[in-house]
Amino acid sequence: DGGITQSPKYLFRKEGQNVTLSCEQNLNHDAMYWYRQDPGQGLRLIYYSQIVNDFQKGDIAEGYSVSREKKESFPLTVTSAQKNPTAFYLCASSARTGPNQPQHFGDGTRLSIL
Amino acid sequence: AQKITQTQPGMFVQEKEAVTLDCTYDTSDQSYGLFWYKQPSSGEMIFLIYQGSYDEQNATEGRYSLNFQKARKSANLVISASQLGDSAMYFCAMRENNSGGSNYKLTFGKGTLLTVNP
């Protein structure tokens, strides 16, 4: 079945460590997104990419980095510069065939600090 | 200022009854879209329904319908015949057309936690 796969489901980070969250989609979508969700809050956009080899900062990009070398993949790196990384991270993708196309989400990665 | 406001942090409904979840939005765009998502306790986000700003009819998808009042800038979600499995967080989101129509970013509200009682 087509969908979005995020891994790992749970991730623990030590102080000063960079960690990378994986996001892979087989929906043939051009656009991909990373969101952060804190407890009891809505989703906030970290980075997004509309085509391969291009991406833009969202509302809370500081302390994060991304790459988009392949259409199917949009990994997110949480760097040591992100001082409060504990959150639920959601990856999404959408078609660019029309503005009514919904974003489809993965199951998320929960990141915690050791 | 918040672009999406969901004023109900929590709502309770009896099984088989209908419930309305409120959403108001703020935009200066003429062309925009409104989405509702469901997030169960497991965490995944499930797309429910979409309403375009130029759509003349209110959107419906099975037991979900959208009460779209453009002049009031509200897009309330109505769930009919509630089921126990409807218990979840519900998020309203808006896509604005502020980048020439090619930017499909969404702005989310803070959500409403719906609990369906047996």
Side-chain angles (χ1 to χ4, degrees):
Chain A
D1 286 350
I4 300 175
T5 302
Q6 288 188 242
S7 63
K9 194 172 181 70
Y10 299 94
L11 187 58
F12 298 92
R13 195 192 88 169
K14 295 180 181 178
E15 293 288 341
Q17 186 181 45
N18 293 354
V19 292
T20 297
L21 284 59
S22 171
C23 178
E24 303 277 332
Q25 56 100 357
N26 61 4
L27 299 168
N28 200 33
H29 286 166
D30 287 306
M32 296 188 74
Y33 314 81
W34 273 106
Y35 293 93
R36 170 182 172 139
Q37 186 178 26
D38 292 285
Q41 300 295 314
L43 279 64
R44 293 184 291 167
L45 183 65
I46 304 172
Y47 267 99
Y48 65 101
S49 168
Q50 298 189 76
I51 55 172
V52 174
N53 293 323
D54 185 56
F55 49 83
Q56 286 81 40
K57 293 181 179 180
D59 301 319
I60 55 165
E62 186 174 352
Y64 300 97
S65 66
V66 293
S67 62
R68 187 83 189 277
E69 297 176 2
K70 298 187 300 182
K71 187 176 184 178
E72 303 80 18
S73 179
F74 191 40
L76 173 73
T77 297
V78 184
T79 74
S80 57
Q82 173 49 247
K83 298 306 179 187
N84 184 23
T86 297
F88 187 51
Y89 291 86
L90 284 158
C91 177
S93 70
S94 69
R96 295 183 67 216
T97 52
N100 61 338
Q101 295 299 312
Q103 292 184 13
H104 299 266
F105 286 80
D107 290 342
T109 293
R110 294 192 185 276
L111 175 61
S112 301
I113 290 291
L114 282 178
Chain B
Q2 289 187 32
K3 291 198 170 185
I4 296 286
T5 303
Q6 295 181 252
T7 57
Q8 307 152 314
M11 287 283 286
F12 293 88
V13 66
Q14 287 298 121
E15 195 178 6
K16 300 181 184 177
E17 292 184 352
V19 63
T20 298
L21 306 182
D22 294 342
C23 172
T24 57
Y25 58 91
D26 182 25
T27 181
S28 57
D29 284 0
Q30 296 301 308
S31 176
Y32 52 89
L34 297 154
F35 299 79
W36 276 91
Y37 284 84
K38 172 184 178 181
Q39 187 179 41
S41 58
S42 52
E44 74 270 28
M45 296 284 284
I46 302 167
F47 165 67
L48 297 177
I49 196 167
Y50 166 83
Q51 179 84 43
S53 58
Y54 291 123
D55 294 341
E56 295 185 355
Q57 303 279 347
N58 284 342
T60 61
E61 287 287 347
R63 294 187 299 110
Y64 304 108
S65 61
L66 211 151
N67 183 0
F68 182 48
Q69 298 189 42
K70 195 170 181 177
R72 293 186 177 185
K73 294 188 175 178
S74 74
N76 299 337
L77 177 70
V78 180
I79 305 175
S80 62
S82 297
Q83 302 172 356
L84 296 178
D86 293 336
S87 293
M89 281 289 285
Y90 288 81
F91 292 96
C92 179
M94 177 173 63
R95 175 201 54 76
E96 295 175 279
N97 196 30
N98 55 11
S99 296
S102 64
N103 184 343
Y104 300 143
K105 293 192 302 177
L106 293 180
T107 302
F108 285 81
K110 293 188 175 182
T112 295
L113 179 62
L114 176 66
T115 303
V116 181
N117 294 318

